[in-house]
Amino acid sequence: MGSMKTFTKSFTQQEAIPEAAIEQAVRVLRSGRLHRYNAEPGETTETELLEQEFAAYMGVPYCLACASGGYAMHIALRSAGLQPGDKVLSNAFTLAPVPGAIHNAGGVPVLVETNDDYTVELDHLRDVAANSDVRFFLLSHMRGHIGDMDAIVGICEANGIVLIEDCAHTMGARWRGRLSGTFGKVACFSTQTYKHINSGEGGLLVTADPELAARAVLYSGSYMMFERHMAAPSADEIANVRLTTPNYSGRMDNLRAAILRPQLQALDEQCVRWNRLYAAVERWLKSAPGVFVPVRAAHEQFVGSSIQFSLLGYSESEMRRFIELCSRRGVQIKWFGDEEPRGYTSRFDSWQYLDGSDDLPGTRQVLSILCDLRLPLTFDEADCDVIGEIITDCVGEIRPVKDLAI
Ligand SMILES: *Cc1c(COP(=O)(O)O)cnc(C)c1O
């Protein structure tokens, strides 16, 4: 029987910015030189250093820091050669900035169905990749779930499709030991407050392709000061595209970069902490009747900064009641099946600026019972135990065990 515990912490409260980052930020503020290209002779700016350090972390030659993750995706698509009207595959289960970035770049999103484990459906991917004149795939590792990357890369290669990874939820994650963000031609990360490192807003683009990197630097608005970059291709490489690439102004500044650099140093440790929280909630969910939590493969070294689960066979009204019961006890569940976009969740059919001609019954079914919880590092394992217990109580209230046909 539930002990009617309630939970009182906030699901949107992140940890404070580390003291070392605050000190560095204050130094930047005192200098007045916040613009990334505003440096004294011989000075290396925080933005330049962040790019160099993130490129080193990722093990790739090129990195560009920019204004947001969505901006990074927009210029990644453009830099990869997208022309207005080009079709771009993407997950149907993703967040609104993803189709938004495709639209912004002039592309036409073509959505791919969703598996029960929340990754893209490979059969549908194979189908749309082979049967339509698609040139790009903006793959979102949505909520940190990493699909079968061997298969996905194989399908892209077989169909001449350029793979672009959206790693907003997989910074620090790996698949078969290889960092998420190194499987495609270019990868985009977000440093927005609810992601794995926090500068309020911000984005990082990484690639091993010199021509793509050159374009991205120019798109971001380099005012031809590209020679300052330390994780960009040579000035010669950039000179080739400098007069044909417009300035889409979207740089990162030194203040944000200063805040991010110490956080990057701590990223791997933070990922371990997230995974402890994830495991603590998962233990409860795995033994709660009617609750499905995907089994994560050993080679999916994900980062559990949020957790997803499905309530098998729940109707819409049961979903609403479950969310209400949890909410009354302080556990704020997000539901990806809601018709109405709420907070960060929205369903593909609410992106009405898209063509929307394809219904996606598989995704609709998956989302109809899909719940989501953020796990900020201001929680500890004891908090996660309380959350797990409350969820278990609430599913028990909606579907008492005696009613379940086992
Ligand atoms: C947050 C997010 C983005 C965009 O990042 P911003 O920095 O907020 O623009 C892209 N994709 C996913 C899946 C996200 O969660």
Side-chain angles (χ1 to χ4, degrees):
M1 272 289 94
S3 50
M4 286 310 280
K5 283 179 186 155
T6 55
F7 188 68
T8 52
K9 286 193 182 174
S10 163
F11 283 82
T12 53
Q13 181 60 56
Q14 303 292 24
E15 288 188 296
I17 299 301
E19 283 307 316
I22 294 173
E23 278 169 28
Q24 196 55 23
V26 168
R27 244 173 260 141
V28 169
L29 289 171
R30 293 219 162 95
S31 80
R33 293 187 294 279
L34 274 70
H35 192 282
R36 67 166 296 162
Y37 298 119
N38 185 196
E40 293 199 313
E43 186 183 17
T44 307
T45 68
E46 290 293 312
T47 311
E48 290 156 10
L49 290 167
L50 173 69
E51 287 169 342
Q52 190 179 47
E53 288 161 4
F54 193 63
Y57 177 86
M58 293 299 296
V60 296
Y62 313 123
C63 172
L64 174 74
C66 51
S68 73
Y71 180 87
M73 293 190 290
H74 161 223
I75 63 166
L77 285 161
R78 285 296 186 125
S79 304
L82 179 136
Q83 297 296 319
D86 281 349
K87 288 182 183 166
V88 182
L89 296 176
S90 192
N91 321 41
F93 171 43
T94 188
L95 293 184
V98 178
I102 297 171
H103 187 266
N104 193 17
V108 178
V110 176
L111 301 179
V112 183
E113 282 275 32
T114 314
N115 278 325
D116 289 342
D117 67 359
Y118 318 138
T119 62
V120 284
E121 227 244 79
L122 294 176
D123 287 336
H124 190 233
L125 176 62
R126 251 180 229 110
D127 232 41
V128 284
N131 291 327
S132 42
D133 46 347
V134 168
R135 293 188 50 218
F136 305 92
F137 181 13
L138 178 53
L139 167 66
S140 201
H141 302 296
M142 181 57 179
R143 297 323 252 160
H145 297 271
I146 307 175
D148 179 341
M149 293 310 296
D150 290 337
I152 290 170
V153 168
I155 294 168
C156 289
E157 282 175 356
N159 293 283
I161 291 173
V162 175
L163 179 62
I164 298 167
E165 294 179 79
D166 166 17
C167 301
H169 305 154
T170 54
M171 184 188 276
R174 289 165 192 268
W175 199 82
R176 290 201 202 286
R178 191 163 140 195
L179 278 166
S180 180
T182 59
F183 290 84
K185 190 164 194 180
V186 48
C188 303
F189 296 81
S190 169
T191 64
Q192 188 236 74
T193 293
Y194 303 107
K195 313 297 163 88
H196 296 175
I197 55 177
N198 171 13
S199 58
E201 303 284 0
L204 293 161
L205 177 158
V206 297
T207 181
D209 184 297
E211 193 184 324
L212 194 155
R215 286 217 179 87
V217 167
L218 292 165
Y219 276 133
S220 77
S222 65
Y223 298 113
M224 302 303 160
M225 296 210 250
F226 45 79
E227 291 193 42
R228 291 202 56 87
H229 286 243
M230 301 194 301
S234 69
D236 282 352
E237 193 79 52
I238 299 184
N240 290 334
V241 288
R242 69 190 270 271
L243 300 181
T244 50
T245 310
N247 173 337
Y248 289 163
S249 202
R251 295 166 301 273
M252 184 178 279
D253 57 86
N254 290 330
L255 184 57
R256 290 193 172 112
I259 292 169
L260 291 171
R261 290 181 58 219
Q263 294 183 63
L264 180 58
Q265 298 308 315
L267 174 62
D268 287 342
E269 286 159 52
Q270 302 288 76
C271 292
V272 170
R273 292 177 60 207
W274 267 306
N275 286 354
R276 284 199 204 109
L277 302 183
Y278 184 98
V281 178
E282 188 192 35
R283 273 196 293 277
W284 282 91
L285 299 183
K286 273 184 164 166
S287 54
V291 176
F292 168 82
V293 208
V295 178
R296 315 291 291 256
H299 58 258
E300 186 196 359
Q301 291 120 15
F302 64 98
V303 181
S305 52
S306 67
I307 188 165
Q308 293 66 43
F309 56 96
S310 302
L311 298 175
L312 300 175
Y314 273 45
S315 66
E316 190 180 321
S317 64
E318 284 176 312
M319 291 300 295
R320 289 190 196 284
R321 245 185 80 220
F322 168 73
I323 290 158
E324 171 60 25
L325 287 176
C326 288
S327 168
R328 272 191 227 153
R329 293 178 61 182
V331 174
Q332 306 308 332
I333 306 248
K334 299 288 175 184
W335 176 35
F336 277 99
D338 203 330
E339 238 169 276
E340 208 41 54
R342 271 178 225 281
Y344 59 85
T345 63
S346 60
R347 208 167 60 186
F348 61 90
D349 52 353
S350 68
W351 307 326
Q352 288 179 11
Y353 55 89
L354 302 187
D355 171 352
S357 54
D358 310 346
D359 193 22
L360 298 161
T363 301
R364 200 177 275 281
Q365 168 57 30
V366 170
L367 298 187
S368 71
I369 53 170
L370 173 51
C371 297
D372 181 277
L373 278 174
R374 278 186 175 137
L375 298 173
L377 290 175
T378 47
F379 292 1
D380 57 25
E381 285 171 81
D383 293 326
C384 290
D385 265 330
V386 175
I387 292 168
E389 186 175 338
I390 290 172
I391 292 172
T392 306
D393 283 354
C394 295
V395 293
E397 226 174 290
I398 292 184
R399 296 241 177 134
V401 175
K402 62 176 172 45
D403 293 348
L404 287 176
I406 306 284

